[in-house]
């Protein structure tokens, strides 16, 4: 074959250089046609759109063309011509074809369209080759770039917090332990407790559930930082919104108080959504047509809304009124209860029909580090609640007072000896500060219209699921 520099299909489709010879490489979506002429729809992942390769059957013969089936990978030189068909500008009249790899139709799983998402999860190694997952993973990339751009443009520093940690501050029992000990021969002390002194770190260690505590240390030096990395929760919650391994974005800002924190969260989410519409419209249009007919409408709707700011106490009142008017919830509802997703979604979808930032939660149901309000009952927490998702962001203003922080930690049974370094920030040059955590995959659920979080991360980790 003549060596010609490859052009990505996304560029081929935009090209007006009709008559020139181009090279494309990609995976066959379909081959159809007649005895005289075949049409190959070729996709190389650079765009949701395929380029059409027009093949004169006589030139190659049926035998050569036979293995060019769905899933096969080919290399094509051909003349770029203006397309006769509707909906595409350019197509390629094949001059040379090389088959890189075949995909036997008898065993290649992605034959027909309309496979269920459940089935596609079982072939997660191949599902990026479908239109839907190609679109989702391109959008995922663009959202990551949006996040970095948003913070970078605002003078935040990308700060890397550790994945392995020895402090368990967000509640025990949810963490994955990290050990090099021989599990077949565990040494225990007289009381039957495991002796970690000979373990790799000389103490019990786990995968992080949040980079926040270390993020706060950085904010107290660099002013404004964000983390963006993998996060692990061993909670056995088999829901469409929880993963055992997910990615979290956590900005932390010195001198910000709760109101500025809320504004940052609102601006940030809107920026990401606008970025998606600006940079991923082809993919979003595809998802809008195939998955969720209201997707684009919903994205534009959220951009236009000022998010409602509401206290937990007012939220409970609205929910109790709903119950009085005949609405039923599965989970208990009273002042002091942790809100379930059904409660959050009622506020957002039924009552306000708009994203809601709920603030000032009872201190018992929130983390020890949240700033205590003067009422003695609530803390300056803020959860951003979204249509179809529920909680997308959880954040707070942090308690900057050393005495209040340590007292509250004790009250909540937090082992403060492991986080002496965290408490130190309140001893040396403490300052008001605030931050939040956005679940990256929850944002992706919203932007793609997908309904199961397993479908917006390439290789989901959930209870009993660690294939690929
Ligand atoms: P939820 O109540 O939905 O379980 P959470 O309150 O435990 O979430 P936070 O500790 O506030 O979560 O974490 C911050 C954000 O991280 C959440 O708002 C959510 O977007 C995301 N998140 C939390 N847990 C998970 C998970 N298991 N899988 C995916 N995203 C998660
Ligand atoms: Mn939360």
């Amino acid at each position: 074959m003549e060596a010609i520099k490859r052009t990505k299909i996304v560029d081929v489709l935009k090209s007006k250089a009709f008559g020139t010879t181009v090279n494309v490489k990609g995976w066959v979506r379909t081959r159809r046609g007649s005895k005289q002429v075949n049409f190959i729809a070729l996709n190389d992942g650079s765009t949701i759109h395929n380029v059409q390769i027009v093949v004169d059957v006589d030139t190659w013969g049926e035998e050569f063309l036979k293995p060019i089936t769905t899933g096969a990978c080919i290399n094509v030189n051909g003349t770029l011509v203006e397309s006769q068909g509707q909906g595409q500008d350019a197509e390629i009249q094949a001059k040379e074809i090389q088959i890189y790899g075949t995909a036997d139709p008898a065993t290649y799983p992605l034959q027909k369209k309309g496979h269920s998402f459940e089935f596609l999860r079982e072939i997660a190694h191949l599902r990026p080759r479908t239109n839907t997952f190609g679109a989702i993973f391109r959008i995922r990339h663009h959202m990551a770039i949006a996040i970095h751009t948003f913070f970078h443009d605002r003078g935040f520093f990308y700060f890397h917090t550790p994945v392995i940690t020895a402090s368990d501050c967000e509640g025990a029992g949810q963490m994955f332990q990290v050990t090099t000990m021989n599990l077949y021969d565990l040494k225990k002390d007289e009381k039957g407790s495991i002796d970690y002194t000979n373990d790799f770190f000389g103490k019990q260690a786990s995968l992080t559930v949040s980079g926040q505590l270390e993020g706060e240390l950085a904010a107290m030096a660099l002013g404004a930082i964000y983390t963006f990395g993998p996060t692990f929760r061993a909670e056995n919650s088999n829901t469409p919104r929880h993963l055992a391994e997910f990615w979290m974005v956590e900005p932390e800002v010195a001198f910000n108080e709760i109101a500025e924190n809320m504004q940052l969260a609102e601006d940030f989410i809107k920026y990401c959504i606008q970025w998606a519409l600006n940079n991923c419209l082809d993919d979003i249009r595809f998802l809008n047509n195939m998955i969720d007919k209201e997707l684009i409408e919903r994205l534009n709707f959220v951009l236009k809304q000022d998010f409602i700011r509401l206290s937990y106490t007012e939220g409970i009142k609205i929910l109790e009124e709903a119950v009085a008017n005949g609405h039923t919830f599965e989970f208990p509802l009273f002042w002091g209860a942790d809100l379930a997703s059904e409660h959050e979604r009622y506020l957002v979808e039924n009552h306000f029909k708009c994203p809601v930032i709920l603030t000032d939660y009872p201190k018992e149901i929130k983390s020890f580090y949240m700033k205590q309000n003067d009422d003695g009952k609530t803390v300056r927490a803020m959860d951003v609640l979204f249509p179809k998702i529920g909680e997308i962001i959880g954040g707070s203003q942090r308690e900057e007072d050393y005495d209040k922080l340590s007292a509250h930690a004790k009250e909540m049974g937090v082992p403060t000896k492991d986080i002496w370094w965290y408490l130190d920030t309140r001893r040396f040059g403490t300052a008001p500060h605030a931050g939040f955590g956005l679940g990256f995959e929850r944002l992706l659920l919203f932007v793609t219209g997908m309904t199961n979080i397993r479908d917006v991360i390439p290789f989901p980790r959930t209870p009993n699921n660690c294939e690929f």
Side-chain angles (χ1 to χ4, degrees):
M1 256 178 82
E2 191 189 345
I4 301 169
K5 195 173 176 309
R6 173 186 168 222
T7 308
K8 287 191 180 175
I9 289 171
V10 65
D11 298 320
V12 165
L13 293 175
K14 280 187 270 182
S15 173
K16 294 270 180 272
F18 302 124
T20 61
T21 303
V22 294
N23 172 266
V24 290
K25 297 169 166 60
W27 292 271
V28 174
R29 284 292 156 83
T30 56
R31 179 169 63 88
R32 59 190 177 81
S34 63
K35 286 240 176 305
Q36 291 80 42
V37 58
N38 272 196
F39 303 100
I40 299 169
L42 197 69
N43 190 283
D44 66 0
S46 61
T47 160
I48 186 90
H49 302 296
N50 305 324
V51 70
Q52 175 157 282
I53 314 285
V54 185
V55 181
D56 176 51
V57 176
D58 276 347
T59 312
W60 280 275
E62 303 238 11
E63 265 320 290
F64 177 85
L65 296 175
K66 211 169 150 205
I68 303 182
T69 53
T70 300
C73 187
I74 61 174
N75 178 16
V76 180
N77 286 338
T79 312
L80 192 72
V81 295
E82 198 159 0
S83 176
Q84 305 305 309
Q86 268 197 342
Q88 57 217 27
D89 296 331
E91 60 185 35
I92 293 168
Q93 207 88 48
K95 290 200 291 201
E96 289 178 291
I97 302 177
Q98 178 190 4
I99 300 174
Y100 278 140
T102 58
D104 184 352
T107 50
Y108 184 61
L110 288 175
Q111 286 306 328
K112 55 184 194 314
K113 289 184 179 161
H115 291 301
S116 74
F117 292 138
E118 287 79 9
F119 171 72
L120 292 173
R121 269 173 233 148
E122 287 166 20
I123 50 164
H125 60 308
L126 297 173
R127 71 177 180 168
R129 296 191 192 186
T130 63
N131 286 326
T132 300
F133 286 91
I136 289 167
F137 297 138
R138 277 187 297 272
I139 293 172
R140 192 179 161 106
H141 157 79
H142 281 287
M143 286 296 93
I145 300 297
I147 286 161
H148 286 300
T149 309
F150 175 86
F151 287 119
H152 175 75
D153 285 354
R154 282 158 190 75
F156 285 61
F157 299 103
Y158 180 29
F159 190 75
H160 294 107
T161 51
V163 166
I164 300 175
T165 172
S167 61
D168 172 11
C169 296
E170 304 252 327
Q174 295 190 357
M175 301 180 95
F176 289 100
Q177 205 171 314
V178 176
T179 182
T180 53
M181 290 195 298
N182 180 358
L183 297 183
Y184 295 100
D185 182 25
L186 279 182
K187 301 255 178 320
K188 296 189 183 167
D189 65 15
E190 318 79 66
K191 282 187 239 137
S193 310
I194 293 167
D195 177 11
Y196 285 100
T197 48
N198 289 321
D199 200 357
F200 191 89
F201 298 105
K203 54 178 161 178
Q204 190 175 3
S206 308
L207 296 178
T208 185
V209 295
S210 158
Q212 180 201 317
L213 300 191
E214 289 91 349
E216 284 187 48
L217 311 181
M220 288 295 115
L222 301 170
I225 64 95
Y226 68 106
T227 72
F228 184 8
T231 309
F232 306 88
R233 301 210 177 164
E235 57 203 343
N236 199 356
S237 39
N238 241 318
T239 80
R241 300 175 302 111
H242 289 93
L243 291 161
E245 176 183 295
F246 64 102
W247 287 65
M248 184 140 66
V249 184
E250 295 179 278
E252 193 69 40
V253 189
F255 317 120
N256 264 12
E257 304 208 7
I258 184 92
E260 292 144 324
N261 204 35
M262 287 192 271
Q263 196 57 50
L264 181 68
E266 181 170 348
D267 294 347
F268 172 52
I269 298 199
K270 285 181 172 168
Y271 182 92
C272 291
I273 293 170
Q274 187 65 62
W275 184 285
L277 288 168
N278 292 352
N279 294 278
C280 316
L281 197 53
D282 280 357
D283 287 326
I284 289 178
R285 277 203 187 114
F286 174 83
L287 295 171
N288 190 85
N289 290 340
M290 303 301 290
I291 310 283
D292 180 348
K293 296 271 185 275
E294 283 154 19
L295 175 61
I296 294 179
E297 207 180 301
R298 203 160 51 244
L299 296 177
N300 280 311
F301 173 77
V302 164
L303 285 178
K304 284 198 301 257
Q305 297 297 315
D306 290 329
F307 296 5
I308 301 279
R309 284 144 171 79
L310 185 78
S311 74
Y312 168 92
T313 304
E314 292 169 85
I316 290 285
K317 267 190 212 137
I318 292 170
L319 293 167
E320 282 174 343
E321 268 163 39
V323 172
N325 292 329
H327 194 91
T328 51
F329 293 111
E330 189 186 333
F331 290 94
L333 184 73
F334 54 91
W335 197 96
D338 209 353
L339 294 185
S341 170
E342 57 173 348
H343 303 130
E344 298 172 341
R345 291 183 59 176
Y346 180 89
L347 290 175
V348 172
E349 290 166 27
N350 300 55
H351 191 83
F352 289 107
K353 301 188 167 56
C354 170
V356 172
I357 311 183
L358 210 57
T359 60
D360 302 297
Y361 283 72
K363 62 180 183 185
E364 288 78 15
I365 58 169
K366 288 291 182 186
S367 302
F368 76 98
Y369 49 70
M370 296 189 179
K371 186 172 172 70
Q372 296 157 55
N373 283 319
D374 293 336
D375 63 9
K377 291 193 298 195
T378 59
V379 288
R380 248 168 249 185
M382 50 159 256
D383 280 8
V384 181
L385 312 178
F386 250 51
K388 308 221 16 152
I389 312 284
E391 179 184 332
I392 192 165
I393 281 181
S396 69
Q397 185 174 340
R398 321 304 189 187
E399 182 56 73
E400 79 265 25
D401 182 275
Y402 181 84
D403 293 332
K404 283 188 190 164
L405 180 64
S406 7
H408 195 203
K410 262 191 214 94
E411 228 171 80
M412 300 195 72
V414 174
T416 45
K417 67 167 180 17
D418 294 341
I419 48 159
W420 58 271
W421 42 268
Y422 178 72
L423 298 173
D424 260 4
T425 52
R426 275 67 169 175
R427 295 208 299 147
F428 308 126
T430 192
H433 61 288
F436 59 79
L438 166 92
F440 186 47
E441 286 76 17
R442 298 241 178 121
L443 174 67
L444 286 170
L445 283 177
F446 187 72
V447 169
T448 60
M450 299 297 285
T451 51
N452 193 312
I453 200 162
R454 293 162 181 78
D455 296 331
V456 293
I457 188 164
F459 305 106
R461 269 73 179 107
T462 52
N464 292 315
N465 178 23
C466 195
E467 196 69 43
F468 311 106

